Amino acid sequence: MDKGLSLRNVTISKGDVPLLSVNHDIGPGEVLTVMGPSGVGKSTLLAFITGTLAQDFEATGEVWLDGHEITHAPPHRRRVGILFQDDLLFPHLSVGANLAFGLAQGGSSRDRLAKVDEALDEVGLKGFADRDPATLSGGQKARVALMRMLLSEPCGLLLDEPFSRLDATLRAQVREMVFDRARARELPVLMVTHDAEDARAAGGVIVTLGG
């Protein structure tokens, strides 16, 4: 598959205990949901894809992204974006500076500011560039975290239970926003969750671990 994210015969174990086995292609704009209880290895799979797997785990198989094998590439070269359940915004930076952090180096200050303003406008936060992240609501923080990740121009998106700390109404809104923007940018998405509603909303294939 030239475009998308491919997990080719990926297996992860800890010691002699096998944790998971996944073999799946995720096309541009598609979502693969991996479900299972805590401790079954969902986040471990994401760590393998991002190149941050702890040394006490053993993994085999290959990760391909847009026709390139990235299994052994340094984490910063993989062009994989990830969203966690915590927004992980930098508290010492303004909202605009948080977004600018996602931008590639280079370009004029004017161009960088324009990209930040455009990103904020896209998610209904026009004029928020100078705000302190501490003054934002949970939903606003989630939107800033999403756009910061998208400004880094990833080729694939990983979701590590990113909606679990939001209340029901906000959860549905943020979830729709994330999936809509992933589809618009034709990003393959791998989401890990234990929430059945999140899995249904993703609308793609569901793989259950430990079931």
Side-chain angles (χ1 to χ4, degrees):
M1 187 173 67
D2 290 336
K3 286 288 187 180
L5 176 64
S6 294
L7 306 176
R8 301 184 182 178
N9 300 311
V10 171
T11 63
I12 300 177
S13 58
K14 188 172 186 179
D16 296 327
V17 181
L19 293 178
L20 60 89
S21 179
V22 179
N23 187 50
H24 200 88
D25 291 334
I26 311 169
E30 295 179 354
V31 182
L32 171 66
T33 299
V34 176
M35 292 194 67
S38 297
V40 78
K42 302 187 304 295
S43 293
T44 306
L45 175 61
L46 300 188
F48 176 61
I49 296 170
T50 58
T52 58
L53 188 66
Q55 292 185 349
D56 51 341
F57 292 94
E58 295 180 4
T60 60
E62 298 176 350
V63 181
W64 289 71
L65 184 60
D66 285 356
H68 301 283
E69 186 183 358
I70 62 170
T71 315
H72 304 292
H76 66 282
R77 299 257 184 214
R78 296 192 178 207
R79 300 199 66 181
V80 176
I82 186 165
L83 288 177
F84 299 96
Q85 56 183 276
D86 295 315
D87 55 75
L88 300 182
L89 298 179
F90 300 117
H92 62 291
L93 298 179
S94 67
V95 168
N98 263 279
L99 286 174
F101 187 86
L103 289 169
Q105 296 300 312
S108 70
S109 296
R110 179 179 293 180
D111 287 344
R112 294 173 69 83
L113 285 173
K115 288 180 180 179
V116 166
D117 287 343
E118 184 179 331
L120 287 171
D121 194 22
E122 183 178 336
V123 290
L125 296 176
K126 186 177 180 64
F128 276 59
D130 293 331
R131 289 275 293 269
D132 183 333
T135 68
L136 303 183
S137 68
Q140 289 169 337
K141 289 178 180 178
R143 284 183 259 172
V144 173
L146 170 65
M147 296 313 294
R148 180 180 65 181
M149 184 274 301
L150 292 177
L151 283 173
S152 70
E153 299 184 353
C155 296
L157 174 56
L158 307 180
L159 304 176
D160 191 356
E161 312 239 20
F163 316 119
S164 61
R165 292 183 182 244
L166 303 173
D167 63 55
T169 302
L170 197 55
R171 186 176 188 139
Q173 292 174 354
V174 173
R175 192 169 55 204
E176 182 179 6
M177 178 185 66
V178 171
F179 292 141
D180 282 352
R181 275 150 186 78
R183 281 191 292 267
R185 290 166 171 80
E186 298 189 331
L187 295 176
V189 179
L190 172 59
M191 176 174 70
V192 300
T193 185
H194 63 269
D195 187 272
E197 182 56 37
D198 284 349
R200 282 192 294 271
V205 174
I206 300 173
V207 173
T208 303
L209 302 178

